[in-house]
């Protein structure tokens, strides 16, 4: 399939960590910015024009926000992720253009934060890249642990189908909303392609309080229209609502 001339087609990845300020760099203070390379050790090729990624804020202080933009484009006038209290861990999955493999992360709103970047895919116009095109669907629930398998416990993994009406029998990646409910005190879930034997060093959704209901939209590579969800240090029920697919 020909690759789009501008912007490029999507190439999904097993989630891979590109940056963690807790391992070097430290908290980003309000009013400051930091250039971050998001090529994830070669997982994102030089020809990529943008990345789909999960931005997670941790060890937050006061109230604030993070904003991301291609490196060298100046301070963005929008926010990517927001928090209202200290000690929050919160994630958002979105897409950003890259410049030389770099993005600029800016902190504002008066509060500082540690932050983590996990790459879930990239867009590339280069010939020969096995890219995918997006098809939207009416949002449809594909899985709800509350009516089937119950809470996913720490260290456990569960493979579920993402198949919904209007989706072919085999797609390259699925765009969906992940919601957790009935959470333990603190934890996270990581969604990976089906067949992943162990969770990668990445997270899809995080929570810090018991009985939290929180959601994050994301994209995951699909194997036979199935994905595997791993629970980290906490437990939760979870739901997946499909919004579209890449093929």
């Amino acid at each position: 399939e020909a690759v789009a001339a501008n912007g490029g087609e999507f190439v999904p990845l097993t989630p891979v960590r590109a940056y963690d300020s807790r391992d070097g760099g430290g908290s980003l203070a309000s009013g400051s910015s930091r250039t971050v390379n998001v090529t994830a050790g070669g997982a994102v090729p030089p020809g990529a024009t943008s990345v789909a990624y999960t931005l997670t804020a941790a060890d937050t202080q006061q109230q604030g926000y993070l904003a991301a933009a291609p490196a060298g484009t100046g301070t963005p006038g929008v926010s990517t992720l927001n928090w209202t209290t200290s000690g929050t861990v919160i994630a958002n999955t979105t897409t950003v253009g890259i410049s030389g493999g770099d993005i600029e992360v800016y902190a504002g709103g008066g509060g500082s934060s540690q932050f983590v970047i996990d790459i879930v895919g990239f867009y590339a116009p280069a010939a020969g890249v096995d890219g995918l095109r997006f098809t939207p669907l009416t949002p449809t629930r594909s899985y709800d642990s509350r009516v089937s398998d119950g809470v996913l416990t720490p260290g456990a993994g569960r493979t579920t189908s993402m198949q919904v009406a209007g989706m072919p029998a085999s797609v390259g990646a699925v765009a969906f909303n992940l919601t957790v409910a009935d959470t333990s005190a603190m934890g996270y879930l990581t969604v990976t392609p089906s067949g992943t034997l162990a969770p990668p060093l990445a997270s899809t959704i995080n929570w810090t309080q018991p009985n939290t209901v929180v959601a994050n939209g994301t994209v995951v590579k699909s194997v036979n229209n199935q994905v595997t969800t791993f629970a980290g240090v906490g437990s939760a029920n979870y739901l997946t609502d499909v919004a579209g697919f890449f093929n």
Side-chain angles (χ1 to χ4, degrees):
E1 184 179 357
V3 176
N6 296 308
E9 294 181 346
F10 183 65
V11 179
L13 298 172
T14 298
V16 55
R17 181 143 298 174
Y19 180 79
D20 188 338
S21 66
R22 298 169 298 185
D23 294 335
S27 290
L28 188 61
S30 181
S32 63
S33 66
R34 185 174 301 163
T35 299
V36 177
N37 185 274
V38 292
T39 56
V44 178
T49 58
S50 56
V51 291
Y53 70 105
T54 301
L55 175 65
T56 304
D59 303 327
T60 59
Q61 298 297 318
Q62 302 176 19
Q63 177 174 308
Y65 67 88
L66 297 179
T73 57
T75 302
V78 298
S79 63
T80 304
L81 185 68
N82 300 262
W83 64 89
T84 58
T85 60
S86 298
T88 298
V89 180
I90 187 170
N92 185 30
T93 302
T94 186
T95 301
V96 66
I98 57 178
S99 176
D102 294 338
I103 66 172
E104 193 83 10
V105 180
Y106 173 83
S112 65
S113 174
Q114 301 273 9
F115 65 98
V116 178
I117 296 175
D118 297 321
I119 307 300
V120 299
F122 62 89
Y123 292 83
V129 173
D130 187 16
L132 307 173
R133 296 182 183 274
F134 181 66
T135 300
L137 296 172
T138 300
T140 304
R141 183 149 297 166
S142 60
Y143 180 75
D144 186 340
S145 67
R146 300 172 302 179
V147 297
S148 53
D149 304 306
V151 168
L152 187 62
T153 56
R158 183 178 297 166
T159 299
T160 60
S161 174
M162 301 295 277
Q163 186 74 51
V164 297
M167 181 186 292
S170 180
V171 302
V174 182
F176 65 102
N177 204 54
L178 174 67
T179 304
V180 294
D182 306 320
T183 59
S184 62
M186 176 180 286
Y188 65 91
L189 300 183
T190 305
V191 186
T192 69
S194 173
T196 304
L197 299 180
L201 179 61
S203 62
T204 305
I205 196 167
N206 299 259
W207 65 89
T208 57
Q209 300 291 332
N211 300 315
T212 296
V213 179
V214 64
N216 186 26
T218 190
V219 178
V220 68
K221 185 177 180 180
S222 171
V223 178
N224 298 322
N225 288 7
Q226 294 182 323
V227 301
T228 298
T229 303
F230 292 95
V233 296
S235 63
N237 274 307
Y238 68 100
L239 303 77
T240 55
D241 299 321
V242 175
F245 61 89
F246 293 83
N247 230 357

